[in-house]
Every structure is written in structure tokens, then in C-alpha cells.
Amino acid sequence: MSTWELETEIESYYRRGEERERLTRNARGRLEFARMQDLLRRLLPGEGLDVLDVGGATGVHAKWLAEDGHRVTLVDPVADQVAVAAALPGVTAVVGDARELPCPDAGFDAVLLMGPLYHLTAREHRVQAVREARRCARPGGVVAAATINRTAGWSDHLLYRAGGHDKGIGAEASLRVVREGVLRYFDQDIFTTAYLAHPGEVASEFADAGLEPVQYAVQGFPGYIPEIERLIDDEDARAHLMEGLRLIEREPSLLGASNHLLTAATVPE
């Protein structure tokens, strides 16, 4: 049994179930989902893999990974979410914490952290989670982690304000997150406690865990376009958008100009 505990406000937020459709209910979510699928399919080291989905919630990524033919084990600290994921074909789901995974050493070809790092506000806890991911990955396997970039809260505030929506975030509060990195809007209509990182911070945390990372901008700056649904939901425009994002995804000067970042590394042989 894990000695770690999930913060009450984070567990309460996820038990509300609002995140279950976040990647499908609007255009910005669909862009993030499409890009994560595109990136992971290119990064995974083969077919028919053993994949560990850490912090996988109700299985939004585990579902398509299993449909792609991979054997997926999902670990999440929220029992309600594990119960939903466990019903997915080809997915084994258990309760556990990213900082102390209930999994064997070198048991997986890929270990994915699609959410845990941005809910761990202490640096040592994030490094611990990456170390655990590395422990569970086989030599030559992949460790990949999603993070939220430092300016995401401020950018969201500007988008909401431009669209005439009040999400309960004041201008000064959004700037405080840019300065400090810690988002604590669990009593407002946006998200829960999270750490918003600079790309260099994430790279250094991977390095501290003994991994050499490569970083990819997920949505890139096109993710801030208010009318993004006109691109992501139009077949021709979507193809053009996705190809352009592949061309700029590793440009160092643009890594921070994206709400989300994917950091990946190959475990040394």
C-alpha cells in the first residue's frame, strides 16, 4: 500500500467526473487529444507493447492504446476512476500513486505520466515520480510525461475574458501563477491544484531521474486560436494543422508557447 496521499481537493475534483470528457467536449480538448495520440504513436517503441498508464484516470488514453493492440495497465489514486477504467477491454486498472508504483521493476515497454507531474507541486515529488517510471520501464523502453506550461493559466484567463466568460479568475491571480507556478483554483470553475512548469524545469527533473529528455510542444501556439474548432473539425484544415505542428513541435524557442508539453526519454540499455 502506498505511503503517499492525494490532496483532498484534487481527489474531490476528479471524483466530480468533469475531466472525463475534457478531451472530447470542445475543440481545444480535441486538439490536445489528437496531438497526444500522434506523438505517442510515433514515440512508442513497437507494436503489442506492455504499457503502464500512470495517473490514467478513467482510461481516456488507455482505451485507444488497448485498441491499438497494446497490453495496458492503468494506475490511478482515485478509486472511482479506476473502477471505470477497469471495465475497458484490454485494460487492467489498479489503485496506486505515481510516487510509489505497485508495479515490478522493468515490467513495461513504455510508462506514461499523462497527468501526475502537474498535480505534484513539490519538485522532489515530481522527480520521484519520474524515477518510479524509469524503474518500471525496461531498458530501451520509453518514459513520457505531460506537463502544463507556466503561461497556460494566464492564457486561459485571456481567452475566457476575450470570449466574455467569467471563470472566477482575476487578472492578478492569473499573473501570480505565471510568477510562482502553483495554481490553486480548486474552489473555482476551472481546475484543481496544479504545478505549471517551465520546459527547462521538466527537462532538469528528467535529468535528475537519470534520463535524457526530448521535448515536444503539444498544441503549440495554434492552440490559442479562439476559433480552433474551424481547424480541428475540418478534415483538410486539420491535416494542415497537424502537419505544421509536427514541423515546429521540437523548436526550442516555441516549447513554452503551448498549453501542454510532452517530455520523453529512452531508458538506457
Side-chain angles (χ1 to χ4, degrees):
M1 184 174 181
S2 175
T3 58
W4 303 96
E5 292 184 1
L6 184 67
E7 285 85 343
T8 301
E9 69 270 17
I10 298 177
E11 181 171 4
S12 297
Y13 174 80
Y14 282 100
R15 291 188 69 179
R16 282 160 48 188
E18 294 181 6
E19 280 287 299
R20 295 181 186 181
E21 298 178 353
R22 183 182 68 82
L23 295 178
T24 57
R25 67 170 170 249
N26 61 44
R28 296 180 71 201
R30 292 194 292 278
L31 174 60
E32 179 188 341
F33 185 46
R35 279 286 294 157
M36 283 296 189
Q37 285 183 302
D38 182 49
L39 284 163
L40 291 174
R41 281 174 171 148
R42 285 186 278 136
L43 288 169
L44 290 175
E47 299 178 357
L49 305 176
D50 293 309
V51 178
L52 179 60
D53 184 9
V54 183
T58 56
V60 64
H61 290 298
K63 182 177 184 294
W64 66 263
L65 286 163
E67 290 172 347
D68 278 3
H70 302 298
R71 297 171 294 277
V72 183
T73 299
L74 181 147
V75 176
D76 194 86
V78 181
D80 290 356
Q81 298 195 133
V82 169
V84 174
L88 295 171
V91 176
T92 300
V94 297
V95 174
D97 193 286
R99 294 162 289 188
E100 190 177 349
L101 291 170
C103 303
D105 294 355
F108 299 90
D109 301 297
V111 181
L112 311 179
L113 299 149
M114 294 293 101
L117 293 194
Y118 53 73
H119 287 314
L120 298 173
T121 56
R123 187 183 191 280
E124 60 267 30
H125 290 183
R126 296 192 296 274
V127 173
Q128 173 66 16
V130 179
R131 283 185 179 137
E132 275 290 276
R134 179 186 172 174
R135 177 184 67 78
C136 294
R138 294 170 181 144
V142 168
V143 172
T147 52
I148 303 175
N149 272 333
R150 179 63 65 90
T151 58
W154 174 61
S155 299
D156 283 348
H157 167 74
L158 292 174
L159 284 172
Y160 293 139
R161 186 169 181 176
H165 303 297
D166 181 8
K167 289 284 187 175
I169 309 173
E172 180 52 37
S174 71
L175 290 174
R176 177 187 57 77
V177 180
V178 177
R179 298 186 188 101
E180 301 174 6
V182 179
L183 177 74
R184 294 193 182 275
Y185 291 130
F186 49 85
D187 59 345
Q188 302 185 43
D189 186 23
I190 179 169
F191 200 35
T192 183
T193 297
Y195 184 74
L196 280 59
H198 291 298
E201 291 180 273
V202 186
S204 71
E205 290 161 8
F206 263 63
D208 284 357
L211 295 171
E212 296 184 13
V214 177
Q215 296 184 294
Y216 305 83
V218 178
Q219 304 97 321
F221 58 83
Y224 299 126
I225 298 172
E227 299 84 4
I228 190 65
E229 70 275 2
R230 298 181 184 176
L231 300 177
I232 196 65
D233 294 334
D234 177 272
E235 186 175 349
D236 291 338
R238 175 190 176 100
H240 180 73
L241 171 64
M242 295 292 284
E243 183 59 30
L245 286 171
R246 291 186 195 105
L247 293 175
I248 66 172
E249 64 190 10
R250 290 183 58 185
E251 169 54 47
S253 66
L254 298 177
L255 289 177
S258 175
N259 265 14
H260 292 84
L261 189 74
L262 187 71
T263 301
T266 299
V267 176
E269 295 284 354

